[in-house]
Amino acid sequence: MSTFYITPYKQRESLFNFYDHFFNDYFYDHRQPSNITETENEVQVQVDLPGFEKSEITVEYKENNLVITAKSEHRNDVKYQFSIPNIELNSSSAELTNGVLTIKLDKSANSKKQTLKIK
C-alpha cells in the first residue's frame, strides 16, 4: 500500500500567486499611456507623465530609438522606448504641459514620402 501526502495549502498558495501575477501582469499596466501620430513631415509622441518636473525627464535619440526616462525620488521611475527611424533631432522640440510630454520629431529628408513609378 502506498502513502500519498497532499499539501492543499501549498497548492492553494501557488494558485493564489498564479492569479495574483496573472491579473497584475496582464490586466494592470503600470506604465502611463502614450500616443504616437505621424504626418508627412513629422512624428508626434505624447506621453502622460503626471507629477514629474521638466528637470526629472530626459529625452534621448540614439540608433533610431527614442528613449524617454522620468526619474523622481517621490514616484516610481518611468521609461519608454520607441523605434522611430530617420528623425532630425536638431529641428525637433519637446514640451511638458499639465503632465503631458509632447515631442515633435521632424522627419529627415530621405524619410519623407516618395513615389516610385512602375514601368
Side-chain angles (χ1 to χ4, degrees), residues 37-44 87 93 103-107 112:
T37 56
E38 182 177 6
T39 64
E40 190 173 324
N41 297 322
E42 74 177 11
V43 175
Q44 182 173 327
I87 297 298
S93 65
I103 304 170
K104 294 181 181 179
L105 303 164
D106 292 334
K107 291 183 179 179
K112 294 191 179 163

Side-chain angles (χ1 to χ4, degrees), residues 32-33 45-59 68-71 75 80 93-104:
Q32 301 295 328
V45 178
Q46 288 184 321
V47 177
D48 290 346
L49 295 171
F52 287 100
E53 301 293 326
K54 292 178 187 180
S55 61
E56 299 171 330
I57 301 170
T58 58
V59 179
I68 303 167
T69 308
K71 294 184 178 183
R75 300 183 55 85
Y80 290 94
S93 65
E95 182 179 345
L96 182 67
T97 307
N98 296 329
V100 178
L101 178 66
T102 303
I103 304 170
K104 294 181 181 179

Side-chain angles (χ1 to χ4, degrees), residues 40-44 59-62 64-66 84-94 103-112:
E40 190 173 324
N41 297 322
E42 74 177 11
V43 175
Q44 182 173 327
V59 179
E60 299 174 338
Y61 184 74
K62 183 178 180 182
N64 294 332
N65 288 315
L66 178 70
I84 305 174
N86 302 320
I87 297 298
E88 289 291 332
L89 202 60
N90 296 335
S91 58
S92 300
S93 65
I103 304 170
K104 294 181 181 179
L105 303 164
D106 292 334
K107 291 183 179 179
S108 62
N110 61 351
S111 70
K112 294 191 179 163

Side-chain angles (χ1 to χ4, degrees), residues 7 74 105:
T7 54
H74 308 291
L105 303 164

